[in-house]
Amino acid sequence: MQEIIRPASRLQGSIRLPGDKSISHRYAMLASVAEGVTTIGNYSSGADCHSTLGCVRGLGIEVELSGREVKVHGRGLRGYRAPAADLDAGNSGSTIRMLSGLLAGQSFQSRLCGDESLSKRPMQRIMTPLREMGAVIEAREGKYPPLEITGAELKPIEYAMPVASAQVKSCVLLAGLLAEGMTTVREPARTRDHTEVALREFGVEVESGAGYACVEGPARLEARELTVPGDLSSAAFFLVAAALKPGSELVLEGVGLNPTRAALIDFLVACGVDVRILDLQMKHGEPVGDLRVRGSKLKGGVIEKGLAAALIDEIPVLAVLGAVSEEGLTVRDAAELRVKETDRIETVADNLRRMGVEIETAPDGFRIEGGQRFRGATVESHGDHRIAMAFAVAGLAASGEVMIEGSEAASVSFPEFWSTLRGIAG
Ligand code: S3P
């Protein structure tokens, strides 16, 4: 599918974003191993989170869907049934990596597969710790999906992750729920802590601090009534879009502002974006607030070290901001971009160049000079949701029409993206 984006004069209005993708995955998985019925409000409408629901259904868990509300009939930590077919994680790295942790400790064999993009993403990062815990796990060419997991009695481990990845941390913590004793994960840079927060909501004791988290197994999870906050990573597209357009004013309601994600707000402020948090509250251990953003004079900045891990999903749209800012954008220490849904260093560079913007790439990042202009062009999502949406934002600031090929990719995290954009851009 294609979408045409025409240059907009300014953006205005108030929007509510779909439920956070990361939190939706975790609530669904934890609910599936909790005892009793968990109700999840504002569950992500994205295809990825529906892949998670499909997988837990495949494990014999009853899931009822009614609009954005999901009811999961959990059967306890060992209540899954051996799946009759492959569990399909679709495009979702979070589904395959996190669910593997729960499957590693079951008394049956399961096979997890995914689409073409997921089938090229590295899985050794979870295979190494799960094998250390005692699971038998095989992969295509030793590293790619499909994954074949033969569950085992797991032993607790202390694991220092070589890459900063919340999916890996979560996988090991979830496996730790099934192991007898204390499992500890250490991370080289701070990653999102939604798993730790959600586990506490489900009644599990989690010890965590700077650079580590521990759980003691065997654990028992209690069903809950939960609501998912709006997705800050989806908000990023609108925050940048409004900031780019003088005279814009947008309010994004009920957005999740967990400190391990909110580095985005601090970075935008440092880049000169006029963004404010209004009405901050705590819901289920997660801070939630409204954001107000206005058209701004953009300075640009540098993303490196721990900030690269904290902003990893937002870098494609921040590249768009960088190109039109005064000083441009430098990204370093972000080699992880190369193993996302696409190689996001290359897919960002490809589309920027198509729009007449220069970029210099490096193995772990890129440099975009400031003061550049987007021209009308045809760009490609390359099947990556965040690339499709980032270049729609670039299209709003372009001098001519921008055609986004493969626009349907946005539905992986944000099916309502195109209609929401039309609603605020007029
Ligand atoms: C996620 C963690 C990040 C992020 C992904 C969602 C999560 O991946 O890019 O979109 O929900 O834990 P990594 O763990 O691979 O860094």
Side-chain angles (χ1 to χ4, degrees):
M1 271 163 56
Q2 301 155 332
E3 288 280 343
I4 294 175
I5 304 291
R6 298 198 172 87
S9 52
R10 60 197 172 128
L11 306 180
Q12 265 184 324
S14 182
I15 53 181
R16 199 161 263 281
L17 298 156
D20 185 271
K21 178 162 90 68
S22 293
I23 297 176
S24 296
H25 282 302
R26 286 156 171 85
Y27 283 177
M29 284 184 210
L30 296 183
S32 74
V33 291
E35 283 164 31
V37 182
T38 290
T39 308
I40 310 171
N42 198 35
Y43 191 78
S44 165
S45 49
D48 268 12
C49 294
H50 286 262
S51 294
T52 289
L53 295 181
C55 288
V56 301
R57 276 194 177 121
L59 290 159
I61 301 298
E62 186 185 342
V63 176
E64 292 174 79
L65 255 179
S66 156
R68 296 229 173 136
E69 190 181 282
V70 176
K71 277 196 167 82
V72 181
H73 295 246
R75 290 156 43 89
L77 258 187
R78 299 196 180 269
Y80 285 162
R81 300 206 176 97
D86 284 4
L87 302 169
D88 188 356
N91 192 245
S92 175
S94 300
T95 306
I96 198 165
R97 294 198 179 115
M98 297 200 291
L99 195 58
S100 293
L102 289 173
L103 294 175
Q106 305 296 328
S107 57
F108 53 77
Q109 215 180 38
S110 47
R111 198 162 179 275
L112 284 151
C113 63
D115 70 5
E116 201 187 323
S117 152
L118 189 62
S119 301
K120 291 186 204 136
R121 296 183 64 189
M123 295 295 139
Q124 307 101 307
R125 52 183 65 196
I126 57 155
M127 294 168 70
T128 304
L130 291 179
R131 281 176 173 157
E132 210 179 297
M133 294 178 87
V136 175
I137 171 162
E138 296 305 330
R140 184 176 63 81
E141 293 174 30
K143 52 185 170 188
Y144 301 120
L147 295 180
E148 227 170 84
I149 301 176
T150 308
E153 285 287 319
L154 299 180
K155 345 183 248 292
I157 56 168
E158 185 164 339
Y159 186 66
M161 298 191 294
V163 282
S165 161
Q167 292 174 356
V168 176
K169 172 175 66 175
S170 303
C171 169
V172 178
L173 292 176
L174 294 184
L177 299 175
L178 289 140
E180 184 133 9
M182 188 71 89
T183 292
T184 303
V185 188
R186 296 190 192 282
E187 51 188 10
R190 198 170 180 214
T191 67
R192 62 193 72 193
D193 68 354
H194 302 301
T195 300
E196 296 90 307
V197 173
L199 278 168
R200 290 188 189 112
E201 279 303 298
F202 278 87
V204 177
E205 223 175 277
V206 182
E207 198 194 313
S208 62
Y212 79 98
C214 319
V215 290
E216 191 169 355
R220 186 174 173 277
L221 285 76
E222 293 154 19
R224 284 281 181 263
E225 272 201 24
L226 300 161
T227 305
V228 182
D231 195 319
L232 181 58
S233 299
S234 298
F237 301 104
F238 295 102
L239 294 173
V240 173
L244 290 178
K245 294 266 128 194
S248 296
E249 177 162 323
L250 277 184
V251 174
L252 311 177
E253 294 166 15
V255 182
L257 293 167
N258 180 305
T260 60
R261 303 274 296 281
L264 171 67
I265 306 296
D266 298 336
F267 183 74
L268 289 174
V269 169
C271 283
V273 177
D274 178 357
V275 54
R276 298 248 161 97
I277 298 175
L278 316 169
D279 187 28
L280 194 67
Q281 296 177 18
M282 287 301 279
K283 278 195 188 145
H284 315 307
E286 293 279 356
V288 183
D290 295 345
L291 296 173
R292 193 205 62 207
V293 58
R294 291 184 172 148
S296 311
K297 194 163 175 331
L298 302 169
K299 289 204 281 264
V302 177
I303 299 174
E304 60 182 349
K305 302 185 183 143
L307 192 56
L311 296 180
I312 200 78
D313 288 343
E314 290 79 42
I315 288 174
V317 77
L318 293 173
V320 171
L321 180 152
V324 296
S325 68
E326 249 169 54
E327 293 158 22
L329 179 71
T330 301
V331 176
R332 291 191 271 265
D333 308 317
E336 277 292 297
L337 286 172
R338 294 205 179 268
V339 289
K340 292 295 177 189
E341 287 82 333
T342 56
D343 175 339
R344 286 185 177 156
I345 294 176
E346 296 308 324
T347 48
V348 163
D350 171 46
N351 285 328
L352 286 179
R353 288 178 183 134
R354 288 175 189 229
M355 295 184 77
V357 167
E358 285 176 25
I359 173 172
E360 208 178 296
T361 64
D364 67 341
F366 52 77
R367 167 74 197 157
I368 301 168
E369 293 300 328
Q372 303 195 62
R373 298 215 157 179
F374 292 108
R375 61 166 185 244
T378 296
V379 298
E380 280 280 346
S381 74
H382 296 275
D384 184 332
H385 55 133
R386 299 203 199 280
I387 298 297
M389 296 186 277
F391 284 89
V393 173
L396 296 173
S399 56
E401 245 177 46
V402 173
M403 167 96 80
I404 320 272
E405 294 278 5
S407 56
E408 70 283 357
S411 65
V412 155
S413 59
F414 196 170
E416 310 82 351
F417 175 76
W418 303 104
S419 56
T420 307
L421 190 62
R422 275 192 285 275
I424 54 166

